[in-house]
Amino acid sequence: MTATLTASACTTPGSTDTTKAKADRTASPAPTAEPALTKKAALAQIAHYSKINNEANATHNRRLLDTIEDGPLYAMSIADYEQDEGLPKADRETYKPWSYNLASTTVYIPRFTAGQQKWFAAVTYSGKTDKYPRLLVMAEQATTKRWEVVAAVDLDDKKQLPKIALDADGYATALDATSAKNVAAPVDVLRSAVGDNFATGGDLSGKKVFATAKASARQITVHDKTTRKFGTRGTTVFSAAGPEFTDSYALKTTTGSALVVFAHTHTQRDTVAAGLKIIPDKDDRAWLGTTNSPSFTYTFTCSDVATVPTTPAKSTLLGYTCRRTDAHGMTTSS
């Protein structure tokens, strides 16, 4: 009788196959995060922005402006152009060149892995003793590789600014503020709360999400005063609108919270009683012309900055900047 032997697939511990499998599992190291750019390069980008911005603004050169701005800031700047162009020439102010003071500018540069969008934030100041802070966000465009400013937000009080966490080499840590794993109030929650400050005076979610602060109080005041401006002759209704710009930017702070920059859009609809009409303000004429209407709807594009805790607690709105970016009168479908 001839015995037939079958080869076994079993291997003993420590065999060559097992060692190879372990080696395969550890062969690919985690991607290394590298700084978006150097501090010197970041300041140079801000200086370049100031220079080109002056050139574009002097002649309302939209094409040139498009090389240094993007996102909500570009939309706001173009709206400023349109509003100015809608005025009689005698009412237009002479443009005055400006620049950021790089000596009093602090840049916060995160590290990114290959494929991630690169961006950095900067805090600049103006006024005596650097009284007035402004937060900038510059992002590298994927196709052109140009650095463009996407947000510029005036902050209410420099004392409110949280201290940004820096690593041993002086670089910041970017966070994903869309995830509840990183922040107690993700960006969608913040955006809804800001919209509610305008829409209801914060009664539904604004006052629940945000602690009492100057910026939140100012939004609520806008709601309270504007909705009463017509008295018994008409109404004003604010509504949150779907955001045109959904990108957000967040930095880790030394307390473990996040400094978050995001954008929102809201509308304002003014309507007067039957038999009455609204006369467009001179700053509205770029969109509305000189035709009176019983109802006008305005669209506002805004950038907002808030500190957001990582554990359940209220966030703090540090500042916001808005521009009217569209307006139209009542149509047959209104």
Side-chain angles (χ1 to χ4, degrees), residues 1-177:
M1 181 179 293
T2 303
T4 302
L5 302 179
T6 303
S8 174
C10 296
T11 57
T12 58
S15 68
T16 301
D17 287 347
T18 303
T19 302
K20 183 178 183 297
K22 290 181 178 179
D24 288 344
R25 286 196 296 269
T26 59
S28 301
T32 302
E34 299 291 343
L37 72 180
T38 65
K39 177 181 177 180
K40 181 178 179 180
L43 291 173
Q45 290 294 342
I46 294 173
H48 173 74
Y49 170 78
S50 299
K51 177 178 181 295
I52 302 302
N53 186 256
N54 281 319
E55 294 178 11
N57 290 348
T59 58
H60 291 181
N61 189 327
R62 291 160 169 78
R63 186 172 182 178
L64 184 59
L65 185 71
D66 191 33
T67 66
I68 56 164
E69 286 187 2
D70 195 27
L73 181 61
Y74 181 72
M76 293 184 210
S77 296
I78 293 302
D80 286 343
Y81 287 1
E82 292 182 5
Q83 180 170 300
D84 191 52
E85 291 164 355
L87 295 173
K89 289 186 177 181
D91 291 341
R92 300 178 192 177
E93 295 184 4
T94 302
Y95 180 73
K96 297 179 180 179
W98 64 278
S99 64
Y100 286 117
N101 181 1
L102 300 185
S104 61
T105 297
T106 303
V107 293
Y108 299 105
I109 303 169
R111 296 175 182 269
F112 298 99
T113 57
Q116 290 183 309
Q117 184 189 32
K118 296 178 181 179
W119 60 270
F120 71 89
V123 177
T124 66
Y125 297 91
S126 61
K128 292 182 179 180
T129 66
D130 289 340
K131 183 178 181 180
Y132 304 106
R134 172 178 288 181
L135 181 66
L136 307 177
V137 175
M138 292 195 79
E140 185 185 52
Q141 303 307 300
T143 54
T144 63
K145 300 303 178 181
R146 290 194 300 249
W147 284 91
E148 301 181 10
V149 180
V150 295
V153 189
D154 292 325
L155 306 178
D156 282 321
D157 188 348
K158 66 181 181 181
K159 294 180 181 178
Q160 284 186 302
L161 274 171
K163 190 173 182 179
I164 303 301
L166 303 176
D167 63 21
D169 297 317
Y171 293 105
T173 299
L175 298 175
D176 178 6

Side-chain angles (χ1 to χ4, degrees), residues 84 228 241 283:
D84 191 52
R228 294 195 296 261
D283 290 334

Side-chain angles (χ1 to χ4, degrees), residues 68-313:
I68 56 164
E69 286 187 2
D70 195 27
L73 181 61
Y74 181 72
M76 293 184 210
S77 296
I78 293 302
D80 286 343
Y81 287 1
E82 292 182 5
Q83 180 170 300
D84 191 52
E85 291 164 355
L87 295 173
K89 289 186 177 181
D91 291 341
R92 300 178 192 177
E93 295 184 4
T94 302
Y95 180 73
K96 297 179 180 179
W98 64 278
S99 64
Y100 286 117
N101 181 1
L102 300 185
S104 61
T105 297
T106 303
V107 293
Y108 299 105
I109 303 169
R111 296 175 182 269
F112 298 99
T113 57
Q116 290 183 309
Q117 184 189 32
K118 296 178 181 179
W119 60 270
F120 71 89
V123 177
T124 66
Y125 297 91
S126 61
K128 292 182 179 180
T129 66
D130 289 340
K131 183 178 181 180
Y132 304 106
R134 172 178 288 181
L135 181 66
L136 307 177
V137 175
M138 292 195 79
E140 185 185 52
Q141 303 307 300
T143 54
T144 63
K145 300 303 178 181
R146 290 194 300 249
W147 284 91
E148 301 181 10
V149 180
V150 295
V153 189
D154 292 325
L155 306 178
D156 282 321
D157 188 348
K158 66 181 181 181
K159 294 180 181 178
Q160 284 186 302
L161 274 171
K163 190 173 182 179
I164 303 301
L166 303 176
D167 63 21
D169 297 317
Y171 293 105
T173 299
L175 298 175
D176 178 6
T178 66
S179 173
K181 294 180 180 179
N182 296 321
V183 289
V187 167
D188 285 347
V189 174
L190 299 175
R191 190 176 286 122
S192 296
V194 166
D196 184 60
N197 280 347
F198 286 103
T200 73
D203 290 341
L204 296 181
S205 64
K207 294 176 183 177
K208 295 178 182 178
V209 172
F210 292 115
T212 301
K214 291 180 181 179
S216 291
R218 192 162 65 253
Q219 291 177 342
I220 292 170
T221 298
V222 169
H223 166 270
D224 293 346
K225 287 186 174 181
T226 309
T227 54
R228 294 195 296 261
K229 69 179 181 179
F230 290 123
T232 59
R233 296 175 300 170
T235 60
T236 294
V237 176
F238 287 99
S239 300
E244 181 180 359
F245 305 102
T246 58
D247 289 342
S248 60
Y249 308 88
L251 294 172
K252 184 178 180 180
T253 73
T254 56
T255 60
S257 62
L259 179 68
V260 183
V261 183
F262 60 100
H264 85 271
T265 305
H266 68 265
T267 62
Q268 173 189 328
R269 183 182 178 92
D270 290 351
T271 305
V272 291
L276 300 177
K277 289 187 177 182
I278 304 170
I279 302 172
D281 182 89
K282 68 176 184 178
D283 290 334
D284 295 329
R285 290 178 183 173
W287 296 278
L288 303 176
T290 58
T291 303
N292 301 342
S293 174
S295 179
F296 288 123
T297 299
Y298 309 92
T299 299
F300 295 87
T301 298
C302 312
S303 287
D304 310 83
V305 180
T307 51
V308 185
T310 55
T311 55

